[in-house]
Amino acid sequence: MTSTQVFFVIFFYFLLLLLISYLTAEKGENQSKSFFTANRSSKWYLVAYGMVGATLSGVTFISVPGTVGKSGWSYLQFMMGNMFGYAIIAYVLIPLFYSKKLISIYEYLKERFGMTSYKTGSFFFLVSQTIGAAFRLYLAVMVLQLAFFDDYNMPFWVSVLSTILLIWLYTFKGGIKTIVWTDTLQTSFLLLAAIWTIYTITNELGMTPSSMVKTISMSQMSDIFMWDWKAGNFFWKQFFAGIFITISMNGLDQNIMQKNLTCTNVKEAQKNVLWFALAFFVATVIFLSVGVLLYEYAFANNIRIPERTDELYPTLALNYFGMFTAVVFLLGIIAAAFSSADSALTALTTSFCVDFLNMGDSRNSNKKRKIVHIMFSFILFLVIVVFRAINDDSVVTDVFKAAGYTYGPLLGLFAFGLFTKRKVRDSKVIFICLLSPVLSYILNIYSIDLLAGYKFGFEILLVNASFTVLGLMLISDKK
């Protein structure tokens, strides 16, 4: 694709998002209420479908197909655990949050433990969400830099600023109400990109639908179950990690739960979560299938596999599959970037406004809310530029993984609040929540030496949460 073609694809896609923003944004004094909760009037099926794109993100869009060459379909073990996690969200957390009519889910911690716990929970979300959103957007902007901005010798910070400005323009007014609709559009482009890639490859290799299914199922890259208990992708590690990571990074994440809480009532929200879980599982299978076919295509045409597997899909889509497929892929990666970043930006704004500025859905809060929205847009810009300045992908990835440790204290706090009746010394909670990730990180580094060769995978989250629960027990009593 030429840079001019890339420009027009981005331009017309952005105009479409801007049109949706204009049509969905609340007019008048109720802008902040609509920004935070969409007036609790969203249709569950729209939320469920749109959340697929927001959850997939650019990381999944690019990385999941690429990792098939190394890990096969073992990622599906994690997704099986996800399904159980979403059931817990639907039947435990959704009724709790709706019964208390929460805007920010961390308001529960204020009622259960006190103000320090409340601020601590929200702070951990803000840190992890900022780093996570910046990392996901960083990967997508790198693709846009290669496809467009490099041809005009524009520095990386210009592409970052341009991307964030586009996202800010269509979210600053409509907020979560706009996100529900734009996510629906962006999910469609994501799935279209994957399905069209499958069609392109099977057509190029002369496969029928039945031979394609046979090729995928017979491939060694389609192995799902891993039974080496020491390995990071051992089945039970992945399965249980899938359950608790889903609870902590979806059920206890303002970004995801804010969308669930826009549904009309509890039953609608529960249907949304369960149908979303099923749709997300199917979407993951599609992307894993894309991964197998990408490698089959590369082998058949003697194309060198990039050292970084994340580059496999972009390399083939932009250079080997023809113009239309390149356009569809570009729309997919833009949709992935925008879908995860726009909802993250809205969630960060909501959490800070409600949890730290006590704004709620006040009719007089529009000006402050817009200032906060600009502030977090700028913070995302700075974090991405810093990632680029580090210029070491392994370091950037480690920063992203480290941000995941902040979900352990959140899981511990909510678990302790839900399953015990003990009262904690609120002022000491922040120290427990800061210490738990540090202990977990140290244990993870030395686990092979300390635990007879055992290597932690995603289940380190459970260890992190356990440290938090143990610490809370030490600073609590039965009153």
Side-chain angles (χ1 to χ4, degrees):
M1 291 183 70
T2 66
S3 56
T4 303
Q5 291 166 333
V6 172
F7 171 78
F8 279 108
V9 170
I10 297 173
F11 178 73
F12 285 111
Y13 182 75
F14 169 67
L15 286 183
L16 186 57
L17 294 177
L18 209 58
L19 176 63
I20 294 174
S21 175
Y22 174 77
L23 295 174
T24 57
E26 187 77 23
K27 310 297 189 297
E29 296 179 338
N30 289 327
Q31 278 188 22
S32 285
K33 183 177 181 180
S34 175
F35 186 98
F36 297 145
T37 66
N39 300 319
R40 303 199 190 278
S41 60
S42 299
K43 303 298 183 184
W44 69 265
Y45 45 84
L46 284 177
V47 180
Y49 181 69
M51 281 172 59
V52 173
T55 307
L56 280 170
S57 82
V59 177
T60 307
F61 184 78
I62 295 174
S63 296
V64 167
T67 55
V68 164
K70 293 182 178 179
S71 306
W73 280 31
S74 62
Y75 184 67
L76 215 56
Q77 301 174 128
F78 178 77
M79 291 300 302
M80 293 173 187
N82 282 178
M83 301 294 282
F84 282 85
Y86 284 119
I88 294 171
I89 291 172
Y91 293 109
V92 177
L93 295 179
I94 289 290
L96 172 70
F97 295 150
Y98 264 86
S99 67
K100 298 183 180 299
K101 298 181 180 180
L102 304 180
I103 297 176
S104 166
I105 62 174
Y106 309 112
E107 292 175 287
Y108 166 77
L109 298 176
K110 177 172 62 176
E111 177 185 313
R112 179 63 178 84
F113 298 127
M115 188 60 72
T116 300
S117 301
Y118 169 42
K119 303 293 185 184
T120 299
S122 182
F123 170 77
F124 272 83
F125 163 74
L126 292 174
V127 171
S128 55
Q129 189 66 207
T130 299
I131 296 175
F135 178 78
R136 291 187 287 269
L137 195 56
Y138 168 70
L139 293 180
V141 172
M142 283 198 302
V143 175
L144 296 178
Q145 182 74 25
L146 293 171
F148 176 72
F149 290 97
D150 277 347
D151 287 352
Y152 294 94
N153 295 318
M154 292 185 182
F156 184 76
W157 69 266
V158 173
S159 57
V160 177
L161 184 62
S162 302
T163 304
I164 291 179
L165 180 61
L166 294 179
I167 294 171
W168 179 83
L169 283 173
Y170 75 84
T171 59
F172 86 99
K173 197 170 184 180
I176 195 64
K177 188 175 182 180
T178 295
I179 298 303
V180 168
W181 285 95
T182 56
D183 277 359
T184 301
L185 173 72
Q186 289 165 166
T187 296
S188 299
F189 279 118
L190 271 169
L191 296 179
L192 173 63
I195 293 170
W196 186 260
T197 299
I198 292 174
Y199 169 79
T200 302
I201 295 175
T202 53
N203 188 52
E204 289 277 340
L205 297 181
M207 293 180 181
T208 63
S210 59
S211 64
M212 177 198 72
V213 172
K214 185 176 180 180
T215 298
I216 294 173
S217 61
M218 297 294 290
S219 172
Q220 291 183 346
M221 291 181 287
S222 298
D223 292 342
I224 298 174
F225 300 104
M226 305 295 167
W227 300 107
D228 179 6
W229 71 274
K230 291 183 179 180
N233 59 355
F234 173 51
F235 173 77
W236 291 111
K237 288 183 187 179
Q238 294 267 298
F239 182 78
F240 285 112
I243 295 175
F244 290 101
I245 283 181
T246 296
I247 294 171
S248 57
M249 298 185 72
N250 290 273
L252 305 180
D253 186 301
Q254 179 68 23
N255 184 3
I256 299 298
M257 290 306 295
Q258 187 171 358
K259 297 171 187 176
N260 294 323
L261 296 176
T262 66
C263 293
T264 307
N265 54 50
V266 172
K267 291 189 179 297
E268 295 277 292
Q270 288 174 326
K271 283 193 291 186
N272 157 56
V273 172
L274 297 176
W275 278 101
F276 155 70
L278 179 62
F280 185 46
F281 188 89
V282 172
T284 302
V285 171
I286 292 174
F287 276 94
L288 289 169
S289 301
V290 169
V292 174
L293 293 174
L294 288 172
Y295 279 97
E296 292 291 339
Y297 180 89
F299 296 149
N301 292 277
N302 296 315
I303 298 172
R304 186 180 66 85
I305 304 297
E307 291 184 12
R308 293 183 57 196
T309 56
D310 286 354
E311 296 177 0
L312 177 64
Y313 194 4
T315 299
L316 295 181
L318 295 174
N319 299 304
Y320 292 92
F321 293 161
M323 176 60 67
F324 185 77
T325 304
V327 170
V328 172
F329 170 80
L330 189 60
L331 284 172
I333 191 63
I334 295 170
F338 280 22
S339 186
S340 58
D342 58 16
S343 57
L345 186 57
T346 302
L348 288 167
T349 301
T350 299
S351 182
F352 191 82
C353 287
V354 175
D355 299 334
F356 289 92
L357 300 183
N358 302 316
M359 284 169 52
D361 57 6
S362 169
R363 294 186 177 185
N364 299 319
S365 61
N366 289 334
K367 185 176 180 180
K368 287 183 180 179
R369 187 255 305 162
K370 290 176 181 177
I371 292 173
V372 172
H373 200 60
I374 294 172
M375 177 187 74
F376 276 107
S377 299
F378 183 67
I379 290 173
L380 281 179
F381 168 77
L382 288 180
V383 174
I384 296 172
V385 170
V386 169
F387 281 171
R388 183 70 168 187
I390 293 173
N391 200 29
D392 186 329
D393 290 335
S394 62
V395 173
V396 173
T397 303
D398 286 342
V399 172
F400 176 61
K401 290 179 179 178
Y405 279 87
T406 59
Y407 284 99
L410 282 175
L411 180 59
L413 279 169
F414 276 88
F416 193 85
L418 288 169
F419 299 113
T420 77
K421 295 182 178 181
R422 299 177 71 89
K423 179 71 174 175
V424 300
R425 279 165 271 174
D426 184 47
S427 61
K428 299 184 183 300
V429 167
I430 187 170
F431 300 107
I432 299 297
C433 290
L434 290 172
L435 182 61
S436 297
V438 174
L439 294 176
S440 302
Y441 185 73
I442 293 172
L443 180 61
N444 189 36
I445 292 175
Y446 297 104
S447 65
I448 295 177
D449 297 326
L450 296 174
L451 303 174
Y454 185 87
K455 184 178 180 181
F456 283 104
F458 292 129
E459 76 279 8
I460 192 66
L461 173 75
L462 300 181
V463 176
N464 194 350
S466 299
F467 279 136
T468 303
V469 171
L470 179 60
L472 294 175
M473 285 293 294
L474 294 175
I475 61 168
S476 67
D477 55 49
K478 293 181 180 181
K479 290 182 181 179

